[in-house]
Every structure is written in C-alpha cells, then in structure tokens.
Amino acid sequence: MSHSRPFLHNALWPGLVGKTPGSDQPPISLERMIELTTAANVRGQKFDGVDVFLFHPHLDPFGDDAHLQSIADQFAAANLKVGSLVAPVWPGTVGDSAMGDAAAREKFVLAVKQACRIAKFFEEAGLRDYGVIRIDSATSPEAWSADPVANTRRIAETFREAGKVAAAHGQRLAAEGEICWGGMHSWKNMVDLLEQVDMPETVGFQADLAHTYLYLLGYNAPEHALIKDGDAEPKFWEAYGQLTDALRPWTIDLHIAQNDGTVHGTGSHDKTGRHCPADDPKGKLDIVRCAGYWLKDAPARGIQHLCWDGCMFPNALMEQANTWNTILDAMIRVRDAHGWE
C-alpha cells in the first residue's frame, strides 16, 4: 500500500563529511549534490527535499540574507523542500565541545543560535515546514571517560541552554546517537543524557539505522552491548525491540541507512557506523523492518519526513545515478510499509 507521508529527503552533508580538498575524495559542491538528488526517480517518485549541513563550502553559517537567499533559490528551483538542519557545533566550525569550558560551551550555543536563524529564514522563504536541528556533544568518548558523571552533567547543561535558544525560535533539537560522540556513545548513555536534559518537548533523539546498529553491538561501550556478532536472528530482534523501546519515545527525526557491522570514519568522526549502499550484500539490516520499530506512532512525535544518510560514501559511488535510485526505492518501501496519510 502506498502512502503520501512521511516525505522523503536526501542528506547533502555526505558531499562534505570525510571529504578533504586536494585529496582523492574532495568535497562535492552543493550544486552537484542537488543535481544528484533531483536526478533520482523511481516509478515517478522523486526526493521531496533535502537535509542540510550548515557550514562551508555548502553554506556560510554567518552569511547574510542575500547569501541565504541565493541558496534558497537553488532549492526552490530544484523543487526541493528543506527539512532538518545540522548545526555546526564542532570545534573548527562555529561551535566547540559541549562539555568544555565556559567559552567552548558558549560557542556551542552560538552554533545552535545561528542554525535557528537559518531555519527561520528557510521557513519564511516557504521552503521549510518540518524538521529539527541536529546536534551532538562535539567531544570524544575518550575525553568524556575522564569523568563520566561530571561530563554528562555538563553536556546536559549545555544542551539545556541550547534548548532554551531553540524553543525561543520555535525549533526542536535532536541529538544523533553516534558511537563517536562522548556521552552519547551507547544507548544507555544516550538515554541518561536525554533524561538529564529533561526537555522532551524541545530536545530529543535523532535515530540513524546505521549508528544505532552499533549501539546493539556495544562499540565504545561493551558493557551496554545487547548482542554480539553472529547471534541468531531471534536474538537480534529481541535486542532491537529493547533498544527502540528505550529510545523511540525520544525520537523526533529518523535517518534511513544500511550498515555492514563495521566501523569507519575520519577525523572527529572516527570509529562510527559505516553507511553502506542500500543494496549492499554485506548489509546487516532489514531496512524496512528496522525502520518500522522507529516509526511506531511517528506522527505523534512530530516526524514528518525521513532522510537517507549516505555519510562517507566514496565520491565514485555518489556519482552513480543508480546509487540514488536504489536508495530512493528503499525509502519508498519503508513508506509503503509504515507510512500514513
């Protein structure tokens, strides 16, 4: 059965994250990412929109209205809505560690403030009707582990300050659970952090099928593993139910993705979930079934779109039209199985 909701988006940050100018994996321009997105077509269905990383070279987070309008015009010309936005919270962008000193934490909140401003601009331009602003702790599990209790408390305080800014701008923040971010590197740590933030109307969770699979395996937090590689399928689904029952009530944004059970990353994204092509024969996930666990009662949590995250796909793979058609087909199958009107 086909459904009209949720809307289907493509992420644009795979053209930036893990890419290095002058290397064999240089950044892919905003214009080219838009072209690749709009070219995808499966039985007449195209991507409805895009989710955007608010940083160079795709966008200047301090850009003036003329700069933002030039980008809005590109999305409008491509008939793409704008959904969730990734705030530039990391050191070296606008922000800094959420558990750092006062100056670092002030930068983190500034990054969220700038993201809220841009979100408002896209809304007033008629391009954005839904979506969240994505954040993380912008610090490593190793740094966090020096004092887990105090550091989680400090991250929660920073998230609350950022949440106040977001609420004042009519926005919601979603913390994406990745094993590379301290205080968010396991499902139990993630729940603990969200409970300490205690702003369920404003600060929630962004689930990514690839990253949350590694939550099950306990990478970076073996004590919180729910399965081990090679466990029988019934054990996997029992564990998946436990994982999603704990995090789904907080989940306000969802990334569809595939994972082959290994870790991959570069720079600050070291040792995080490997995003695979939707039809990768090594993929561990039944994408449609897994997505259904997260999408139970999704409209009640404000979810109106899904986004495919192809983070750290090689450029050659991203330049193949079939890559995006296969991805779009997988997302359509998710919507057919679990969507709504």
Side-chain angles (χ1 to χ4, degrees), residues 178-223:
E178 292 191 54
I179 59 170
C180 62
W181 302 124
M184 305 169 58
H185 57 284
S186 87
W187 66 278
K188 283 195 172 184
N189 292 123
M190 189 72 250
V191 171
D192 180 39
L193 176 59
L194 290 168
E195 288 178 344
Q196 289 197 41
V197 175
D198 194 24
M199 296 180 70
E201 298 301 315
T202 302
V203 181
F205 181 66
Q206 183 184 73
D208 177 293
L209 296 188
H211 297 316
T212 52
Y213 178 68
L214 295 188
Y215 272 179
L216 293 176
L217 295 173
Y219 274 98
N220 287 344
E223 68 276 16

Side-chain angles (χ1 to χ4, degrees), residues 135-146:
I135 59 172
D136 58 55
S137 64
T139 196
S140 70
E142 182 180 10
W144 170 87
S145 67

Side-chain angles (χ1 to χ4, degrees), residues 145-196:
S145 67
D147 192 342
V149 173
N151 286 333
T152 293
R153 183 170 59 248
R154 191 171 294 112
I155 295 167
E157 291 170 355
T158 306
F159 280 17
R160 276 197 300 274
E161 289 304 308
K164 292 174 186 176
V165 171
H169 288 81
Q171 303 297 325
R172 294 196 298 174
L173 306 181
E176 185 180 27
E178 292 191 54
I179 59 170
C180 62
W181 302 124
M184 305 169 58
H185 57 284
S186 87
W187 66 278
K188 283 195 172 184
N189 292 123
M190 189 72 250
V191 171
D192 180 39
L193 176 59
L194 290 168
E195 288 178 344
Q196 289 197 41

Side-chain angles (χ1 to χ4, degrees), residues 51-72:
D51 287 7
V52 185
F53 175 33
L54 304 179
F55 200 63
H56 305 284
H58 283 186
L59 183 149
D60 180 354
F62 292 100
D64 61 16
D65 286 0
H67 169 69
L68 296 179
Q69 187 62 56
S70 69
I71 293 170

Side-chain angles (χ1 to χ4, degrees), residues 7-12 37-38 45-52 75 78-84 127 130 305-308 331:
F7 297 106
L8 307 180
H9 282 219
N10 191 25
L12 299 188
T37 300
T38 56
Q45 171 70 55
K46 299 175 72 68
F47 281 107
D48 299 301
V50 289
D51 287 7
V52 185
F75 294 143
N79 197 30
L80 293 170
K81 287 285 190 179
V82 175
S84 295
L127 292 173
Y130 49 80
H305 82 293
L306 306 175
C307 182
W308 176 272
M331 296 182 75

Side-chain angles (χ1 to χ4, degrees), residues 306-322:
L306 306 175
C307 182
W308 176 272
D309 190 340
C311 195
M312 298 188 192
F313 274 16
N315 287 15
L317 180 64
M318 294 175 67
E319 289 288 349
Q320 297 174 18
N322 189 58

